[in-house]
Amino acid sequence: MKILYAASEVAPFAKTGGLADVAGALPAALARLGHDVRIVMPLYKQIDRARFGLKMLTPEMYVAFPESAQIGCVMTAPFPGSSLPVYFIGHDEYFDRPGLYQEDALDYPDNAERFAYFCKAALWSLVGLGWKPDVICCNDWQTALIPTFLRQGPEYAGRFEFDGIKTLFTIHNLAYQGAFDASYVWKLGLPGHVFSADGLEFYGRMNLMKAGIVYSDKISTVSRRYAEEIQTEEFGCGLEGILQARRADLTGILNGIDPKDWSPDVDGLIPAKYSVGGREGKAKCKAALQKLCGLPAQEDIPLIGVISRLADQKGFDLIAEVADTLMRMKLQFVLLGTGEKKYHELFEALGKKNKKRASIHLRFDNKLAHWIEAGADMFLMPSRYEPCGLNQLYSLRYGTVPIVRRTGGLADSIMDYDAKNKTGTGFVFEDYTGEAMLDAIQRAVKCYRKSPKAWAMLVETGMQQDFTWNASAKAYGQLLQSMIGR
Ligand code: ADP
């Protein structure tokens, strides 16, 4: 099967969140199953051309954008450690900027145009390459215009270069919808009839998430539970009706993790390696993390880690609600994250007030993320909603027991500790309240302190879970194959 994987961020080239991790792992996992997979992404300023060995493929590519022909380029490099080709769509005016989507927490005002250009250029680059995929995997609103142009764009319909190409649209987070002024429909060269209730119109605006849902052959999202949740009013962000209407074409496949990057036995970034059978290294990682964070070097005090975008979605209002109680408990707290100003202020104040208990790092720092996964005893993820979540999966692998809310991918991947039967992989709470979260933290701390055997069981069972891409890539492979009728 020939698969084009289109994404707006792909690790290690450019990353702001979990999508990049998925896009940096799933294509290679599909290639390992024997498929011809290629990746296409924008050529952002921050992509290190020399480090990744980018070569010019098409120095001048003309793309007809309705008002004028735009000239861009296509560069290419093999995906690191493989021969899988990556195509980078270049256009300095759109992509030679400091951010991927925004600067100083403000979205670029021309994002609709930037990503529409990316989608168009990605399609036309195929013509230049003479390579026609059977299916294009699109991810989130930034790539939603690929299925839209293929189905509705006047220059595409009926052309043999595009004819018969199937599209899968994967929703990584329904809340980020890419809603733009209605006038873009015409600016981007789409026919007026798409701006309707059964097209991409949503409350008078052009909604690209909706476009992806409406115009793709199949839709997937990143956990089974989230696939169900988004069909409800609580989680559907207004799109629940359209998702219900397409429920027969909607599947949930849990993301995997890449053990090359995230596994304590091979992780070159952490202070000491370890495995389920020999965990001395984990104690060293904890000591090193405490030292780095200026926290008392005590082995028996439970250390809770958090690595996250500081956004409402992630449940930080719950942490704010019980912060004082939390800081009175005998535990240590290390947080790494960036995001909303109100949370920066909250955690900055918390760190200043509790120097011996809390260590706050308000930046993006991949190495520190690895240190926290390896050095913490517990990982807190109290999300309001969580399409899949990767950090709880990394935590399992690092023997760092997750404390999570029962939603989306967290519900699908973490089993609550059952003290009677001595089963489980973490601590799960149901209600979205500070009290319920605190109760789960207290249960975890009590187990850590009072029941070392049960704690070891939790750590070992977690480390033995297989959430690598193998199973998920197979599921994607089967889904894609069913779409092209093979
Ligand atoms: P989301 O995609 O919603 O942000 P995920 O849990 O799916 O959440 O993925 C987040 C990814 O981004 C993880 O790989 C996590 O380690 C990383 N990450 C988030 N914030 C930071 C940060 N401040 N520094 C380093 N890595 C981070």
Side-chain angles (χ1 to χ4, degrees):
M1 206 170 15
K2 287 186 278 182
I3 304 167
L4 180 69
Y5 196 91
S8 59
E9 52 183 278
V10 181
F13 303 109
K15 165 168 169 172
T16 68
L19 166 61
D21 291 346
V22 176
L26 175 58
L30 284 166
R32 283 197 294 278
L33 295 175
H35 303 296
D36 176 1
V37 189
R38 309 187 185 189
I39 298 173
V40 64
M41 69 177 293
L43 179 63
Y44 298 111
K45 185 192 184 95
Q46 54 272 83
I47 296 174
D48 190 332
R49 274 69 162 167
R51 178 179 157 212
F52 296 114
L54 266 67
K55 297 211 165 50
M56 190 55 82
L57 194 66
T58 314
E60 281 193 358
M61 182 170 70
Y62 288 82
V63 175
F65 231 29
E67 283 164 11
S68 59
Q70 303 269 354
I71 306 172
C73 71
V74 185
M75 293 189 84
T76 188
F79 189 80
S82 76
S83 57
L84 195 149
V86 185
Y87 304 121
F88 300 90
I89 302 294
H91 188 298
D92 286 353
E93 201 188 314
Y94 292 142
F95 302 124
D96 196 44
R97 303 181 183 188
L100 267 56
Y101 317 118
Q102 50 171 236
E103 241 170 85
D104 302 326
L106 278 182
D107 284 347
Y108 290 126
D110 58 350
N111 272 345
E113 206 176 309
R114 295 173 74 223
F115 289 99
Y117 175 80
F118 169 63
C119 291
K120 273 205 162 176
L123 287 171
W124 286 103
S125 70
L126 297 174
V127 178
L129 286 164
W131 185 76
K132 182 177 174 183
D134 297 306
V135 53
I136 305 181
C137 296
C138 305
N139 296 281
D140 279 349
W141 68 262
Q142 292 90 341
T143 52
L145 284 170
I146 292 179
T148 311
F149 284 134
L150 279 178
R151 280 272 184 93
Q152 301 291 343
E155 322 98 287
Y156 303 85
R159 277 191 76 127
F160 75 94
E161 292 98 330
F162 303 113
D163 198 33
I165 297 178
K166 302 285 184 201
T167 50
L168 170 70
F169 183 65
T170 301
I171 300 168
H172 295 263
N173 192 334
L174 191 64
Y176 299 89
Q177 298 188 349
F180 301 98
D181 193 83
S183 60
Y184 275 111
V185 173
W186 290 272
K187 270 192 220 152
L188 303 179
L190 285 163
H193 69 81
V194 301
F195 195 69
S196 62
D198 54 3
L200 49 68
E201 186 268 339
F202 189 63
Y203 291 99
R205 307 194 82 199
M206 173 182 84
N207 185 307
L208 294 186
M209 182 64 84
K210 188 175 174 209
I213 296 168
V214 171
Y215 296 118
S216 301
D217 294 296
K218 293 267 181 193
I219 306 147
S220 75
T221 185
V222 290
S223 67
R224 277 195 201 166
R225 172 93 172 213
Y226 193 60
E228 293 300 319
E229 286 174 344
I230 56 178
Q231 297 177 50
T232 66
E233 203 185 330
E234 185 183 355
F235 296 97
C237 305
L239 295 174
E240 59 274 10
I242 198 88
L243 285 160
Q244 278 162 19
R246 293 220 59 193
R247 80 176 317 146
D249 295 315
L250 170 64
T251 358
I253 303 174
L254 199 71
N255 286 333
I257 62 171
D258 191 343
K260 268 199 318 333
D261 296 331
W262 292 96
S263 195
D265 50 337
V266 297
D267 190 336
L269 295 174
I270 56 177
K273 295 191 179 78
Y274 58 93
S275 61
V276 64
R279 300 204 295 278
E280 307 76 26
K282 184 155 179 70
K284 285 190 192 149
C285 289
K286 180 172 177 179
L289 181 64
Q290 286 170 323
K291 190 167 173 211
L292 180 87
C293 294
L295 297 170
Q298 269 176 278
E299 205 182 329
D300 59 336
I301 188 162
L303 196 161
I304 301 184
V306 175
I307 305 163
S308 183
R309 284 186 293 115
L310 301 181
D312 287 335
Q313 172 204 340
K314 301 290 181 176
F316 290 108
D317 47 345
L318 300 191
I319 301 185
E321 199 183 313
V322 300
D324 290 338
T325 318
L326 210 56
M327 289 300 119
R328 282 197 299 272
M329 287 169 67
K330 211 172 164 231
L331 48 80
Q332 293 177 342
F333 182 78
V334 176
L335 176 137
L336 169 65
T338 56
E340 288 174 34
K341 196 166 158 240
K342 62 180 178 191
Y343 294 125
H344 278 235
E345 289 165 2
L346 168 83
F347 287 114
E348 213 156 32
L350 187 97
K352 274 199 189 121
K353 214 167 115 190
N354 303 279
K355 288 217 169 68
K356 294 283 160 228
R357 289 233 184 283
S359 175
I360 307 299
H361 307 265
L362 300 172
R363 60 175 192 274
F364 197 92
D365 185 338
N366 185 46
K367 186 174 171 196
L368 183 56
H370 283 251
W371 274 52
I372 295 173
E373 285 293 3
D377 298 298
M378 301 160 195
F379 193 90
L380 179 61
M381 232 169 141
S383 307
R384 181 183 285 276
Y385 70 93
E386 193 59 72
C388 173
L390 290 170
N391 276 309
Q392 85 279 14
L393 304 179
Y394 299 150
S395 298
L396 288 173
R397 190 120 186 147
Y398 282 76
T400 302
V401 177
I403 303 170
V404 303
R405 174 151 183 269
R406 197 188 305 281
T407 182
L410 301 174
D412 284 0
S413 58
I414 308 300
M415 282 177 295
D416 191 29
Y417 172 57
D418 176 344
K420 211 162 95 210
N421 296 308
K422 301 275 178 288
T423 55
T425 53
F427 294 85
V428 184
F429 65 98
E430 191 88 41
D431 296 342
Y432 190 76
T433 61
E435 198 187 345
M437 181 190 73
L438 198 58
D439 178 65
I441 296 174
Q442 279 160 344
R443 282 198 295 134
V445 168
K446 188 172 157 209
C447 178
Y448 178 88
R449 286 250 168 71
K450 305 254 162 80
S451 320
K453 267 202 192 139
W455 191 261
M457 180 285 296
L458 276 166
V459 169
E460 281 162 24
T461 315
M463 290 182 85
Q464 283 160 346
Q465 301 292 304
D466 182 8
F467 284 111
T468 55
W469 271 105
N470 299 340
S472 307
K474 252 188 228 149
Y476 272 101
Q478 279 162 1
L479 174 63
L480 299 176
Q481 227 129 20
S482 77
M483 289 166 60
I484 62 168
R486 273 187 221 157

